[in-house]
Amino acid sequence: MSEIIDGNAVAKSIHQELTAELASLKYDRPPCVAFIRVGEDPASVSYVKKKEKVAGEIGITSRLHILPESTPQDELNALIDSLNADDSVDAVLIQAPLPKQLNERDTFNRVRADKDVDGFSNANLGFLCQEDSRAFVACTPAGIIELLKRSNVETKGKKAVVIGRSLIVGKPMALLLMQKGMDATVTVCHSRSENMKEICSQADILIVAVGRPNTVSADMVKDGACVIDVGINRVPSSETKSGYRLVGDVDFANVAPKCSKITPVPGGVGPMTVAMLMKNTVSAYKRHMAK
Ligand code: NAP
């Protein structure tokens, strides 16, 4: 049976490390992160609440700006500009998805690179490509790298397959795995890929970020592979009060017995995303205070 990688435990260790680090710093104010939420999408409300809670536990102060669903781009831009210019704010986080009238790329690019702790701006994606230490790396792929390192998964010279090519998960994930130091040989699959079963079954490390349950079945996984399941999908369930349960993109029950290590959903990658957001916020704070 494979080892289940416990994302909650690893995230908790990172929270403790950050709390200790902040306690040791002697700056005259704590770090401050500004959250922007546009509209009342229930998942966004709950994600922002979770981030605020974890920030508070670590010793990071937070400000929440809630804008109405109908907010035009120029009003959102004005708020971002004021937070960019505010010396008491170290990090600016805009909760996606945004309502349709707002352009997500333009919005993310408006955040000053040294406050863009989500790592979604052109500047930070460019820094990542160039392996420049100024990069704030998107938190989900950065969290997966941390999980691999802390679980002693060897990447050097290994075959890694990433399913998904989104700007927030798949693409930065592939870049991180191929970086010097990680040194994996990376293949990226997407909805137009042919022979996905054949490609995946050669992977030593298989990272799945699609958003569709059972995208990866046992016959697609090599014996002894490490499988990281990024997907978060709601499926109907008669066993829960809410009427649904969360599953990943991997057929966990049948894949787990075949692999060496695997992340569960929930409790795998999810908690690491929040932990890395906090880590990036503390880095942004240290850089600002050192100026
Ligand atoms: P996304 O932007 O929708 O991208 C999905 C990717 O999967 C696309 O590149 C798409 O290919 C590919 N794809 C779709 N169907 C496929 C198929 N049948 N075979 C192979 N590839 C296929 O999604 P995302 O933002 O990357 O998120 C992916 C999943 O991760 C979602 O379930 C999301 O909720 C979850 N997620 C979790 C966390 C976390 O903290 N745990 C964070 C972010 C996202 P094309 O490019 O060709 O369309």
Side-chain angles (χ1 to χ4, degrees):
M1 184 65 183
S2 61
E3 177 191 332
I4 312 286
I5 298 178
D6 184 347
N8 282 316
V10 178
K12 198 171 163 200
S13 304
I14 293 171
H15 298 167
Q16 285 166 348
E17 288 160 20
L18 292 173
T19 308
E21 185 179 4
L22 286 179
S24 73
L25 295 173
K26 300 289 176 234
Y27 298 125
D28 56 8
R29 65 164 179 86
C32 175
V33 55
F35 296 109
I36 302 177
R37 172 161 65 73
V38 188
E40 298 298 325
D41 170 57
S44 295
V45 172
S46 124
Y47 283 135
V48 172
K49 263 195 198 144
K50 172 76 184 163
K51 291 170 191 172
E52 276 184 295
K53 181 172 175 278
V54 175
E57 286 165 2
I58 289 171
I60 298 171
T61 56
S62 55
R63 289 191 205 165
L64 174 58
H65 298 267
I66 304 171
L67 302 180
E69 182 83 25
S70 58
T71 302
Q73 188 76 51
D74 57 347
E75 276 179 31
L76 176 58
N77 288 351
L79 174 59
I80 297 170
D81 291 350
S82 76
L83 295 170
N84 280 343
D86 186 338
D87 278 342
S88 65
V89 172
D90 302 296
V92 178
L93 278 173
I94 302 154
Q95 185 63 45
L98 292 171
K100 286 196 173 57
Q101 75 279 13
L102 299 170
N103 181 307
E104 278 194 3
R105 286 309 309 154
D106 289 349
T107 302
F108 292 135
N109 281 327
R110 194 134 191 138
V111 180
R112 226 172 76 179
D114 62 345
K115 297 191 180 193
D116 168 34
V117 290
D118 259 333
F120 295 163
S121 65
N122 289 346
N124 276 312
L125 287 164
F127 287 145
L128 171 62
C129 276
Q130 295 171 49
E131 303 191 18
D132 184 312
S133 61
R134 283 172 291 179
F136 283 120
V137 178
C139 297
T140 301
I144 292 168
I145 293 292
E146 203 65 33
L147 273 185
L148 294 175
K149 285 183 176 168
R150 294 186 189 223
S151 307
N152 299 314
V153 175
E154 180 63 84
T155 53
K156 190 175 180 167
K158 300 294 177 193
K159 282 189 184 151
V161 172
V162 179
I163 314 182
R165 56 176 166 181
S166 71
L167 216 47
I168 62 166
V169 189
K171 271 192 193 125
M173 189 73 251
L175 286 168
L176 287 169
L177 285 164
M178 73 172 82
Q179 270 193 351
K180 293 207 175 69
M182 296 305 290
D183 297 321
T185 303
V186 184
T187 304
V188 179
C189 296
H190 45 75
S191 66
R192 305 297 163 110
S193 295
E194 291 179 0
N195 304 328
M196 222 168 67
K197 180 176 157 187
E198 193 183 309
I199 295 167
C200 292
S201 58
Q202 291 176 26
D204 300 303
I205 300 159
L206 179 60
I207 299 189
V208 194
V210 169
R212 200 188 65 163
N214 296 320
T215 297
V216 169
S217 49
D219 59 352
M220 296 168 75
V221 177
K222 177 176 160 179
D223 280 330
C226 169
V227 177
I228 305 290
D229 191 351
V230 187
I232 302 176
N233 307 292
R234 281 181 176 199
V235 294
S237 170
S238 54
E239 285 158 33
T240 61
K241 243 204 255 170
S242 61
Y244 69 85
R245 66 192 173 90
L246 294 180
V247 298
D249 290 344
V250 174
D251 173 7
F252 185 89
N254 292 307
V255 169
K258 278 192 90 175
C259 44
S260 58
K261 295 174 199 259
I262 186 166
T263 56
V265 177
V269 174
M272 291 302 292
T273 300
V274 179
M276 298 315 283
L277 209 47
M278 300 303 140
K279 203 169 170 163
N280 281 353
T281 300
V282 171
S283 300
Y285 165 68
K286 288 194 293 182
R287 287 191 213 170
H288 294 155
M289 299 313 273
K291 270 186 188 159

